[in-house]
Amino acid sequence: MEKRTILSGAPYVLAGTAVLLVALTIGLGGLLSYVIAAAAFALGYLGGKKLFPAREIEVERVPRSGSAEVDALISEARAQLDAIAQANDAIAEEALSAQIADIEATCRTILARLEDQPNMLSSLRTFLRYYLPATLKLLEARARLEGEVNAGQSAAIAQKIRTAMANVQTAFHKQLDALNEFRFISLESEMDVLSEMLAGDGLLAREQESQEKTQSEGEDPFASLFAQEGR
């Protein structure tokens, strides 16, 4: 993140308005009138600066890992995290919303680690290509159900998504812990129940071809956390 200063145009508007009022009131035809207009401009500008000060905001800077592929994946993942945050805004359940916010923050930390150490890409590729998009699809499905959940409908599906998010939260934390310890772990056994549950409800489909699964596992030890394809 980096800070960016946003300047308001209001001081200039107020200063111009003050000069216009002077011109309409006494006219601009002599030295005194120009002095008054200049004073009005200064007062309007200073008043505008006080009422509408510059704001500092934090924005995500463009990734600079030194690898074009890594930078592209990080930018893509950031966009997915923004979409996850947007889906979270539509979910009123406080506990679930807090879990989602934590998942988002954890993943942004993982992205920061990847930017600093782009050589980790081979071990994070599946995490970024499959797990994060799958999480987004799941949360977008939950956001679409918000009206039904509030009306007391789709309770079973909402509960399963709630359980899934708890598992995802744990998995993401373990991934970050593994990176912090410069090691890589497999979460396959811990995510078996989640995969079966999501596939059974049609929220996320399991891989249909064992060859694709084998290939994914060969590239990354987390290849069975989520399926590659969504419904």
Side-chain angles (χ1 to χ4, degrees):
M1 303 291 285
E2 62 183 8
K3 290 185 177 180
R4 182 173 298 173
T5 301
I6 305 297
L7 298 176
S8 173
Y12 297 98
V13 173
L14 291 176
T17 302
V19 173
L20 179 61
L21 290 175
V22 171
L24 293 175
T25 303
I26 64 175
L28 296 176
L31 178 60
L32 179 61
S33 63
Y34 284 114
V35 171
I36 295 174
F41 181 91
L43 290 173
Y45 180 79
L46 293 175
K49 291 280 286 185
K50 185 175 182 179
L51 292 173
F52 304 96
R55 296 180 297 112
E56 279 195 347
I57 61 173
E58 288 191 342
V59 296
E60 285 187 313
R61 60 176 176 78
V62 176
R64 298 169 187 156
S65 69
S67 166
E69 182 182 8
V70 170
D71 289 348
L73 281 173
I74 291 175
S75 295
E76 182 180 348
R78 285 178 177 176
Q80 292 168 345
L81 289 173
D82 290 342
I84 285 175
Q86 185 175 359
N88 193 15
D89 289 340
I91 297 174
E93 186 179 339
E94 292 185 4
L96 177 59
S97 184
Q99 283 182 320
I100 297 170
D102 181 69
I103 289 170
E104 180 193 350
T106 301
C107 195
R108 290 191 187 277
T109 302
I110 291 173
L111 293 180
R113 290 295 307 277
L114 176 60
E115 184 176 0
D116 290 338
Q117 296 177 275
N119 60 308
M120 290 182 173
L121 176 60
S122 61
S123 298
L124 288 174
R125 193 187 306 274
T126 305
F127 179 85
L128 297 174
R129 286 293 192 191
Y130 303 144
Y131 310 160
L132 184 57
T135 300
L136 172 58
K137 290 180 182 179
L138 190 62
L139 290 176
E140 286 179 334
R142 174 60 179 82
R144 289 193 295 269
L145 290 174
E146 183 65 16
E148 297 180 17
V149 172
N150 291 337
Q153 304 169 1
S154 302
I157 294 296
Q159 177 58 46
K160 289 185 177 182
I161 293 177
R162 190 179 304 117
T163 301
M165 283 302 100
N167 290 333
V168 169
Q169 185 180 26
T170 298
F172 279 30
H173 274 285
K174 288 193 173 184
Q175 172 71 93
L176 179 57
D177 289 342
L179 293 180
N180 289 336
E181 296 176 13
F182 298 97
R183 62 185 176 84
F184 302 105
I185 58 176
S186 174
L187 302 175
E188 293 180 24
S189 60
E190 297 184 22
M191 304 309 292
D192 281 346
V193 174
L194 173 60
S195 298
E196 293 291 337
M197 177 186 67
L198 299 179
D201 288 327
L203 294 173
L204 293 174
R206 287 173 293 184
E207 294 172 329
Q208 299 299 317
E209 300 293 337
S210 59
Q211 183 176 1
E212 295 179 4
K213 181 178 179 180
T214 301
Q215 180 180 1
S216 297
E217 291 175 350
E219 294 177 351
D220 188 280
F222 299 92
S224 294
L225 177 60
F226 289 116
Q228 296 184 23
E229 301 176 357
R231 183 176 176 180

